[in-house]
Amino acid sequence: MSTPQSAPHTLSLPDGRSAMGWMHTARFLTTAAQLHQLPVVDVPEIAFVGRSNAGKSSCINTLTQQKQLAFASKKPGRTQHINLFSLGRQGITDAVLADLPGYGYAAVSRSDKMRWQQVMVNYLVSRPSLTGIVLLCDPRLGLTGLDEALLEVVRPRVEDGLKFLVLLTKADKLTRAEQAKALSIARLQTGGGEVRMFSALKKQGVDEAALLLWHWAHPPATDTDAVLETPAESPEQPHPDDEPPALD
């Protein structure tokens, strides 16, 4: 398996449409049951996490405009691998998406829950290439105890600059007033963090989320070799021994 290599650093100013075009380049990279099986990458990595019924697979498939890129199990909570997808045009990887196993589903045995929650926690606190986290949450339920436990796990990295976004999925099931209330509550729960509504069915918030993820993966250049591109152009683009507390 070839290790994804970063593209030459460019500074680009896309709009939502071009960001969606970039997301559409997603293709399967690898799947891993353990952290040591994941390849080392030198490009930004963005992880999608959430409860098993939060609509994570639908979100990824909607953002990438690919119906079956992320696998949605008929038995939520049974998908027990970390799946990586490469992003970037013309064979150049400039970012990686990570689809983490869903958590909290009652039908999964406690031992399986503990094992996979531990793998996920280790990934979130130690993966060197991790640049941002997207937490998927059903706004009708709000952030649950497990979601809040995850927030506590990643808080030190967020304080050190790790990007973090809460997407309230299934927004189409709420009225505008209910959406506004859900946003307010989630922002309080995340300490004023970035929270947005999202609907795979109605495509609400899709362009905005894609554009945000593009900016996460393409931070402003700091060196003198950076190239400024016009919006119409598309950019060419140690495994932990410690065991942090599991989400339980």
Side-chain angles (χ1 to χ4, degrees):
M1 181 195 313
S2 59
T3 300
Q5 301 296 318
S6 60
H9 198 119
T10 59
L11 178 61
S12 182
L13 303 172
D15 55 16
R17 182 176 179 181
S18 57
M20 287 294 289
W22 173 70
M23 293 291 298
H24 187 54
T25 67
R27 62 268 186 195
F28 177 78
L29 175 61
T30 190
T31 186
Q34 299 292 337
L35 291 185
H36 70 269
Q37 298 172 343
L38 291 174
V40 176
V41 301
D42 64 355
V43 297
E45 190 163 304
I46 299 170
F48 285 73
V49 299
R51 290 180 62 87
S52 298
N53 57 353
K56 180 163 53 66
S57 296
S58 296
C59 176
I60 294 174
N61 291 338
T62 299
L63 284 169
T64 60
Q65 306 121 80
Q66 300 183 46
K67 293 182 178 180
Q68 296 182 328
L69 183 70
F71 177 71
S73 174
K74 293 182 179 179
K75 296 182 178 180
R78 296 301 176 89
T79 303
Q80 298 187 349
H81 288 74
I82 297 174
N83 297 311
L84 299 186
F85 308 99
S86 298
L87 286 170
R89 301 182 188 279
Q90 300 181 5
I92 298 176
T93 297
D94 57 9
V96 168
L97 298 182
D99 181 12
L100 273 60
Y103 54 84
Y105 195 68
V108 178
S109 70
R110 179 173 176 81
S111 61
D112 282 344
K113 285 182 186 178
M114 294 299 294
R115 178 168 59 87
W116 271 102
Q117 287 174 10
Q118 192 63 61
V119 170
M120 182 174 65
V121 167
N122 286 337
Y123 168 91
L124 293 173
V125 301
S126 67
R127 180 71 168 164
S129 51
L130 185 62
T131 299
I133 298 173
V134 181
L135 171 62
L136 287 301
C137 176
D138 186 333
R140 297 169 298 176
L141 302 176
L143 270 68
T144 66
L146 286 175
D147 297 323
E148 292 180 341
L150 183 144
L151 288 174
E152 287 303 311
V153 165
V154 302
R155 191 177 303 279
R157 293 196 72 176
V158 173
E159 291 174 350
D160 286 339
L162 182 74
K163 305 296 185 183
F164 192 87
L165 168 68
V166 175
L167 282 184
L168 300 179
T169 59
K170 308 177 184 180
D172 51 279
K173 298 185 180 296
L174 302 180
T175 66
R176 288 188 178 182
E178 289 171 336
Q179 288 186 25
K181 181 178 180 180
L183 281 169
S184 297
I185 293 174
R187 284 169 180 153
L188 286 174
Q189 291 178 300
T190 58
E194 188 151 16
V195 183
R196 301 190 182 186
M197 302 301 304
F198 187 94
S199 170
L201 180 63
K202 300 295 186 180
K203 303 300 185 288
Q204 179 181 347
V206 175
D207 285 6
E208 294 84 353
L211 186 57
L212 180 62
L213 299 188
W214 191 96
H215 282 295
W216 285 6
H218 302 82
T222 57
D223 57 78
T224 56
D225 295 327
V227 178
L228 179 64
E229 296 185 354
T230 63
E233 296 175 339
S234 297
E236 294 292 326
Q237 302 288 0
H239 305 295
D241 294 323
D242 296 335
E243 293 194 0
L247 301 177
D248 187 33

